[in-house]
Amino acid sequence: MSKLVKVGITHGDYNGVGYEVILKALGDESITELFTPVVFGVKSIAGQCIDLLGLDNLKLHTVKKASEAKEGKINLVEICEDNISPHPGEIAEHAGTLAAKALERAVDDLKKGNIDVLVTAPISKEAIQGRNFNFPGHTEFLEDKIGDGRKAMMILCDEKLRVALMTIHIPVAQIPEKVTVENVVNSVETFASVLKKDFGCERPSIAVLSLNPHSGDGGIIGKEEEEIIKPALSELREKGIMAFGPYAADGFFGHGSYKNFDGVLAMYHDQGLAPFKTLATGGGVNFTANLPFVRTSPDHGTAYDIAWKGVADETSMKEAIYMAIDIFRRRRNFETASANPLQKYVTERPDRGERQEKPIKKTTQPAEMSND
């Protein structure tokens, strides 16, 4: 029997809800039968959160390094042995420093094979900036550290919707210059590959959103749709990729048209994330796609306003863990099938009844949480 997947989990900003959602997600006594948790954090902070949440049965197995993690245990790799007291909701340099340290340790262990996948708790992008972290967010950091020359793609997903972003953390004023035929084509091609390899879609259909309101109204509101996006879609279809659009974002999501596609490509951050978070209702996952390693995270931020009040909802963290494991398994099966095409018929399409590793069973019920 194969070993359980080792899930590395970084603690994020300790003044936010990171410890609450991590420990609640790991609070089920049977959780270590599904995977091996390896949390990168601080024992003293975790202990205070365990007391806050009343998780008396949750026992942490403290180790110096991830290679010492044991199955059947909730492992904690101590990144700092100091006795630290959090200051809920405070943007603090020390919290940012330890968030970066946890991420660096986890990425190093990911590259060494000491953990199989990475799940990150939310960081404060302001607090974490420093000598060892000078990036707009996790996505750009991971692209730089473990991308091996690949361009990372941010995908927000749940069981019914997958939204990829063509541009991520850039000012709104810079978005139009990034909307080029080349960028649209490359983004859709990458998205199609990810949907096949990581989500099991045999021939994915992708909806592409417009940049301007009403898809430019034939050039009256903007010309990008006619001069850039439509030619890009024609090129993609000539390559055999099922890409359609451009669709005006308001009507597309408002009328439920997203249900007809395997994925949706948004032109910019808020165009995709605002409707996704509304539809996902707290259970969404941020997946950093197109990298050699699997990384997911909850789709919310540090939620400073509710931090250390015991009310944070762990649903998104649990879903991020489950999805990381599922993608890891699908990717492994896809690579095996690609290397040996004769295996294709028993590994490629679990929705048609072929033999396939079962995804992690989810048993949680969504609860309320204010996402930052």
Side-chain angles (χ1 to χ4, degrees), residues 173-239:
Q174 295 177 14
I175 293 170
E177 67 188 55
K178 301 295 183 182
V179 181
T180 65
V181 172
E182 181 181 11
N183 285 346
V184 173
V185 169
N186 289 343
S187 295
V188 173
E189 287 181 329
T190 297
F191 195 15
S193 176
V194 169
L195 289 169
K196 290 179 182 178
K197 179 172 63 175
D198 295 337
F199 291 97
C201 302
E202 186 174 359
R203 194 179 179 213
S205 59
I206 297 172
V208 178
L209 300 183
S210 63
L211 174 67
N212 298 298
H214 308 294
S215 289
D217 267 343
I220 296 174
I221 298 177
K223 299 184 182 300
E224 287 84 359
E225 287 73 21
E226 297 296 327
E227 297 179 356
I228 297 171
I229 299 178
K230 286 184 179 180
L233 294 177
S234 296
E235 181 178 333
L236 287 161
R237 286 193 290 271
E238 288 177 2
K239 295 181 177 183

Side-chain angles (χ1 to χ4, degrees), residues 242-262:
M242 297 174 64
F244 306 93
Y247 298 101
D250 56 350
F252 181 83
F253 287 107
H255 298 149
S257 300
Y258 62 89
K259 298 176 184 178
N260 300 321
F261 299 90
D262 294 303

Side-chain angles (χ1 to χ4, degrees), residues 35-46:
F35 62 93
T36 301
V38 184
V39 180
F40 294 80
V42 182
K43 184 178 180 180
S44 63
I45 302 176

Side-chain angles (χ1 to χ4, degrees), residues 32-110:
T32 55
E33 297 175 10
L34 305 176
F35 62 93
T36 301
V38 184
V39 180
F40 294 80
V42 182
K43 184 178 180 180
S44 63
I45 302 176
Q48 292 172 71
C49 193
I50 288 172
D51 291 341
L52 171 72
L53 301 174
L55 297 173
D56 300 331
N57 294 327
L58 195 156
K59 305 299 181 185
L60 298 175
H61 176 64
T62 306
V63 295
K64 294 293 184 182
K65 47 190 177 180
S67 59
E68 299 173 353
K70 294 183 178 180
E71 287 192 0
K73 303 285 187 181
I74 297 175
N75 301 276
L76 174 72
V77 178
E78 274 206 283
I79 62 167
C80 176
E81 296 182 1
D82 296 342
N83 189 7
I84 301 170
S85 294
H87 296 277
E90 182 178 307
I91 299 175
E93 181 180 353
H94 188 257
T97 298
L98 288 189
K101 187 174 182 179
L103 189 57
E104 290 166 358
R105 288 282 299 274
V107 165
D108 185 57
D109 280 314
L110 191 63

